[in-house]
Amino acid sequence: MPSPSTPRQNGTSQAPQVRRKNFEEVAKSLTQEEALLEADRCLRCAAHPCQNACPVGVHIPDFIAAVKAGDIGKAASEIMKTSLLPAICGRVCPQEKHCEGHCVLKAKFGAVNIGGLERYTADTARAQGVLKAPTPAADTGKKVVCIGSGPSSLACAAELRRAGHDVTVLEALHAYGGVLRYGIPSFRLPREVINKEVETVQAMGVKFHTDVLVGATIKLDDLRKEYDAVYIGSGAGLPMMLGIPGENAVGVYSANEFLTRINLMQAYKFPDTDTPIHVGKHVIVLGGGNSAMDAARCAMRLQPQSVTIAYRRSREEMPARAAEVEHAQEESVQFEFLVTPKEIIKDENNRVTGLRFTRNELGAPDEKGRRRPVEIAGSDFVMPADTIIVAIGQRPNPTISKTTPDLKVTERGVIALNEKGETSLPGVFAGGDIIRGGATVLLAMKDGLDAARKINAYLGGK
Amino acid sequence: MQENEILVKEQLNEVVMKFVIYKPLVARAARAGQFVILRGRDGGERVPVTLVDWDEKAGTITVIIQSIGKSTFMFNSLKQGDCFLNILGPLGTAVEMKNYGTVAVIGGGVGIAEVYPIAKALKAIGNKVISILGARTKSLLILEEQMRAVSDETICCTDDGSYGQKGMVTDALKACVNSGEKIAAGFVIGPIPMMKFTSKLMVELGIEPYASLNPIMLDGTGMCGGCRVSVEGKVRFACVDGPMFPARTIDFDELIRRTGEYKLQEKTAVEKFEKDHQCKLGLH
């Protein structure tokens, strides 16, 4: 009999005052003992609301049952029936919004730690050598190319290969993973985990190339001639800036630049690595999303005197995951709510010395129901800073659309899809941030999987 | 022959090397004014380098690199047959090619290599090309022969008078205009102060100025925004909107300060590198 009333096993984490000085993973994997206790809490309800709430439909009760039975290889295979990136999903999915948010135990005993179990399954199965890439179907003779190697393209490529197509992934940077690699810090997602997940997709026979920027190195139209179908999963990748005076001062980073220096280029290991980074004494991060939390927590690990996240509205309206906000607070990141940045103050050498803000109060809700910030006259103040990180969002990178005149984009620069989910070009599909403008890893993966099904149908499969 | 392989390496002077590299896709797509991002080793920087030449048939690109920091020292210690770890390109917006009539193409130091493809392309579509090449001293003046081959007139100047005219490229440009040349547009690449003063002079002389900017870059694809420059009072990304910009309203002083952001760190890296590699590479 399951034991739902057993306390939820959350595993252990590095203590905040220790982890804020290193880039090692914050949360540790569940131990075998913890995993078995946790698996035993699952009721295996027939309606499986968790699975229904998962955008990629992971067979959650089935994999947990296999964990409970001690068959970790089978558990991994159950997950991989619908998701080929379990070690990543187990770590970065917002489970509280999806599977765990719908667990029937949630109200009374606390949801089953599905994310923790998924991560345990992937890590343990991989360590034991029983995580097996699925065997692809017989070759279809069709060639498909996936642009980008982020979560959306990886999911699409793996699914297409499973269906028996000849699949190639083209990445613009020098390492695979897209936003997983340049955006998400190693203390949330170790680089080794990304490498291993990519290796699994490679083991299925998907071909990968770095250093190909579609639109520059090769045109989309050339790819259309060479391949039977194209998937564009090239992500967001165009940072939004504030448009306030002083934004080009030395010491002002976009979140993309700051995170790329640290995560992709490993600037925190400088001079062992060659890309530098500099934070000074006081860091201000502007924004309230997950990138702002990641940037602030990365900045903290470079050990300045203070890191402050400044956000226009109040804590309630912040789009970041609650857990990320809590982690940041535990690591001594400070928050300044209800402030609007007005001007970056700089010295005679064009270096940042501070930021002038105006205080806000909350007004009427906007179209999304979030209360709008309203400036309070005469409330200006200056906060000293050596480094300012602008984390207010991004838009799709226009490299492909600019060099493909027939590819329709919306006013916001995202690739336009028709009601069937196709772009304006036959055989060209798109998903992830290039159609959403900035979403989550999980939704990007879902788009990739959905597109793979559409591409299958387009290529005459089932 | 494999991708990224160095087929030819040629030393142009004590600090400048020329590499011919096998990279067919880039060779096919390259246009004048574009660049590539190079990486030499695991953990290495992404370094933007101008495409000096390319040969679609042979599948090769040519880059010319001056040793100025750790990464460029390491690039220049690669040998024929070695491979760059990564080459991404061609990046940036190509220079718009049209017939201006008479154009000035002005290169300073290793910037001569960078204006070469622009001179070549401008000449190919029928412009009268006046090239002005400047360097501190004779040994640093590179590609004179190649520039002469694609120019109607070539003027060399050195700061110390060891070769050609003694003086700056601005002196030569002024003399050129005073002698009656009607120059419609000028393209300048070199150290930032040189580009600043040459652009200013061009405006005074009624020449439409263009300058190619070299801010700090990371990805080179428009993703990071580190290469922000101010042109016409607007923020532009040099990697995708440039690197060549109309130069009347470029904020060169801001660019100088932004490119100096990591001076200290760069010094640390060079010192550590020299200490670690003194014996192996014989840099001194």
Side-chain angles (χ1 to χ4, degrees):
Chain A
M1 282 299 285
S3 320
S5 60
T6 306
R8 175 181 156 116
Q9 302 295 306
N10 285 317
T12 50
S13 293
Q14 281 196 73
Q17 297 315 311
V18 175
R19 72 184 192 232
R20 58 177 262 215
K21 292 178 182 165
N22 68 53
F23 282 84
E24 306 300 315
E25 191 162 20
V26 167
K28 299 203 167 73
S29 252
L30 296 178
T31 62
Q32 186 184 18
E33 193 184 348
E34 289 164 341
L36 288 173
L37 278 172
E38 192 59 23
D40 198 38
R41 296 183 63 225
C42 174
L43 299 177
R44 268 204 106 173
C45 17
H48 50 62
C50 51
Q51 183 168 329
N52 301 343
C54 174
V56 299
V58 167
H59 296 181
I60 293 166
D62 290 348
F63 102 75
I64 293 181
V67 172
K68 188 175 160 182
D71 189 345
I72 208 71
K74 179 163 189 289
S77 300
E78 285 295 339
I79 299 173
M80 291 174 78
K81 279 181 180 165
T82 65
S83 163
L84 289 164
L85 309 171
I88 293 171
C89 286
R91 286 172 165 86
V92 303
C93 279
Q95 286 96 4
E96 75 276 11
K97 276 191 192 156
H98 300 289
C99 55
E100 293 181 21
H102 291 78
C103 176
V104 295
L105 298 185
K106 187 182 165 190
K108 202 163 177 196
F109 302 114
V112 172
N113 184 358
I114 299 167
L117 284 171
E118 183 177 25
R119 172 180 162 179
Y120 169 82
T121 300
D123 290 358
T124 311
R126 194 162 260 144
Q128 294 179 3
V130 293
L131 186 144
K132 297 277 184 257
T135 312
D139 285 350
T140 61
K142 304 283 188 188
K143 290 174 71 182
V144 188
V145 63
C146 298
I147 303 170
S149 69
S152 178
S153 252
L154 281 179
C156 187
E159 207 52 38
L160 288 166
R161 180 68 198 118
R162 176 151 41 195
H165 305 304
D166 178 341
V167 184
T168 302
V169 170
L170 302 178
E171 166 60 47
L173 294 173
H174 60 262
Y176 303 116
V179 73
L180 304 169
R181 174 84 55 180
Y182 72 76
I184 299 181
S186 57
F187 53 81
R188 286 214 286 135
L189 181 62
R191 308 296 90 170
E192 193 54 21
V193 172
I194 307 171
N195 296 345
K196 291 287 179 203
E197 299 275 59
V198 170
E199 281 167 23
T200 301
V201 181
Q202 284 172 325
M204 294 173 69
V206 175
K207 288 168 267 186
F208 281 74
H209 297 283
T210 56
D211 303 306
V212 180
L213 177 63
V214 176
T217 312
I218 190 161
K219 299 279 191 291
L220 184 66
D221 288 337
D222 294 327
L223 292 176
R224 292 179 68 204
K225 285 176 204 147
E226 199 181 332
Y227 294 90
D228 299 300
V230 179
Y231 179 67
I232 307 174
S234 53
L238 183 74
M240 291 183 4
M241 299 303 285
L242 296 156
I244 62 173
E247 201 155 52
N248 281 5
V250 175
V252 182
Y253 291 97
S254 73
N256 272 3
E257 181 185 0
F258 190 78
L259 291 169
T260 300
R261 280 184 184 273
I262 291 177
N263 300 328
L264 173 70
M265 306 309 294
Q266 315 231 311
Y268 63 93
K269 295 180 186 165
F270 181 89
D272 291 331
T273 55
D274 297 337
T275 304
I277 190 135
H278 176 75
V279 294
K281 290 187 184 130
H282 301 289
V283 180
I284 299 175
V285 180
L286 301 171
N290 288 323
S291 290
M293 302 306 132
D294 283 343
R297 297 175 68 197
C298 281
M300 183 56 84
R301 283 158 172 78
L302 302 173
Q303 303 185 35
Q305 287 175 13
S306 76
V307 178
T308 306
I309 291 176
Y311 180 55
R312 296 189 299 151
R313 312 188 208 219
S314 71
R315 178 167 178 157
E316 261 174 46
E317 289 82 22
M318 274 208 297
R321 283 178 63 193
E324 302 306 325
V325 180
E326 277 161 31
H327 276 135
Q329 274 178 325
E330 286 168 7
E331 291 166 10
S332 308
V333 171
Q334 293 160 40
F335 287 81
E336 188 73 52
F337 292 111
L338 289 163
V339 290
T340 299
K342 286 294 179 182
E343 182 191 3
I344 290 166
I345 320 277
K346 49 192 189 172
D347 65 13
E348 66 280 7
N349 293 317
N350 198 39
R351 182 167 268 290
V352 170
T353 59
L355 184 51
R356 186 165 62 78
F357 289 100
T358 301
R359 290 203 186 276
N360 301 324
E361 55 193 2
L362 287 179
D366 64 12
E367 64 279 2
K368 285 182 186 163
R370 290 194 302 176
R371 292 183 68 189
R372 220 186 283 270
V374 181
E375 289 176 15
I376 304 169
S379 65
D380 282 24
F381 68 102
V382 172
M383 199 187 288
D386 309 280
T387 297
I388 293 169
I389 303 166
V390 182
I392 57 168
Q394 40 185 331
R395 286 189 296 247
N397 191 296
T399 309
I400 294 172
S401 50
K402 263 167 61 182
T403 51
T404 317
D406 297 335
L407 183 67
K408 282 206 187 90
V409 294
T410 71
E411 278 167 32
R412 287 164 55 229
V414 302
I415 293 180
L417 301 183
N418 65 18
E419 63 286 351
K420 283 195 274 173
E422 294 160 347
T423 70
S424 55
L425 297 174
V428 179
F429 300 78
D433 279 357
I434 195 78
I435 64 160
R436 293 177 182 272
T440 63
V441 168
L442 183 63
L443 292 175
M445 277 185 57
K446 176 191 185 316
D447 285 353
L449 293 173
D450 288 349
R453 282 188 270 278
K454 285 176 201 147
I455 292 169
N456 260 335
Y458 173 81
L459 295 176
K462 55 182 164 71
Chain B
M1 206 151 53
Q2 51 180 324
E3 224 171 299
N4 298 358
E5 183 180 334
I6 298 166
L7 303 181
V8 179
K9 181 186 180 185
E10 187 186 331
Q11 181 150 15
L12 300 186
N13 62 42
E14 61 263 44
V15 288
V16 177
M17 299 285 177
K18 173 177 150 179
F19 295 94
V20 179
I21 306 161
Y22 186 63
K23 191 74 184 174
L25 281 181
V26 178
R28 198 183 69 167
R31 298 289 177 271
Q34 291 188 296
F35 64 97
V36 287
I37 292 235
L38 301 180
R39 228 166 131 257
R41 66 164 193 124
D42 203 27
E45 265 185 301
R46 297 172 62 89
V47 181
V49 179
T50 302
L51 280 162
V52 175
D53 210 350
W54 48 91
D55 182 337
E56 187 180 343
K57 243 190 210 160
T60 60
I61 57 170
T62 301
V63 295
I64 290 181
I65 298 169
Q66 178 169 17
S67 303
I68 43 168
K70 179 184 171 184
S71 297
T72 45
F73 270 120
M74 290 178 75
F75 291 165
N76 281 356
S77 62
L78 291 170
K79 296 179 194 66
Q80 192 173 312
D82 289 348
C83 288
F84 281 91
L85 189 57
N86 301 96
I87 302 176
L88 172 67
L91 301 171
T93 302
V95 174
E96 191 196 350
M97 280 301 146
K98 58 178 184 187
N99 204 325
Y100 295 88
T102 302
V103 292
V105 173
I106 305 163
V110 79
I112 298 169
E114 297 169 37
V115 288
Y116 167 75
I118 295 165
K120 187 177 168 185
L122 284 166
K123 175 72 183 161
I125 59 162
N127 286 283
K128 178 179 177 186
V129 175
I130 300 173
S131 292
I132 304 175
L133 318 181
R136 216 168 59 237
T137 187
K138 184 183 175 185
S139 66
L140 299 176
L141 201 135
I142 56 172
L143 300 196
E144 183 191 347
E145 209 178 296
Q146 288 88 333
M147 287 300 289
R148 282 192 188 281
V150 297
S151 309
D152 293 273
E153 196 182 324
T154 303
I155 305 159
C156 296
C157 10
T158 49
D159 295 358
D160 63 0
S162 54
Y163 187 72
Q165 303 177 5
K166 181 172 167 30
M168 316 269 230
V169 291
T170 42
D171 302 328
L173 179 65
K174 227 182 283 177
C176 202
V177 170
N178 287 341
S179 73
E181 281 293 354
K182 289 267 176 287
I183 301 171
F187 299 84
V188 59
I189 309 184
I192 303 168
M194 174 229 174
M195 291 197 286
K196 176 184 169 180
F197 289 111
T198 308
S199 299
K200 196 163 163 259
L201 175 67
M202 285 198 268
V203 173
E204 286 164 21
L205 296 173
I207 303 169
E208 199 51 46
Y210 295 87
S212 181
L213 307 186
N214 57 341
I216 293 170
M217 285 185 193
L218 267 189
D219 60 291
T221 69
M223 188 265 279
C224 88
C227 64
R228 301 193 296 284
V229 292
S230 296
V231 183
E232 289 165 337
K234 289 190 200 121
V235 175
R236 309 293 300 273
F237 289 2
C239 69
V240 287
D241 301 323
M244 188 70 86
F245 289 99
R248 270 173 197 276
T249 53
I250 293 172
D251 188 339
F252 285 105
D253 295 330
E254 177 188 275
L255 178 65
I256 289 173
R257 286 171 178 142
R258 285 186 66 81
T259 52
E261 184 161 5
Y262 297 106
K263 276 264 151 65
L264 264 176
Q265 285 93 333
E266 284 162 15
K267 202 168 154 247
T268 312
V270 169
E271 282 167 5
K272 183 176 184 297
F273 177 70
E274 289 185 348
K275 195 168 145 253
D276 294 351
H277 293 77
Q278 219 158 8
C279 316
K280 287 180 214 157
L281 291 177
L283 276 173
H284 297 279

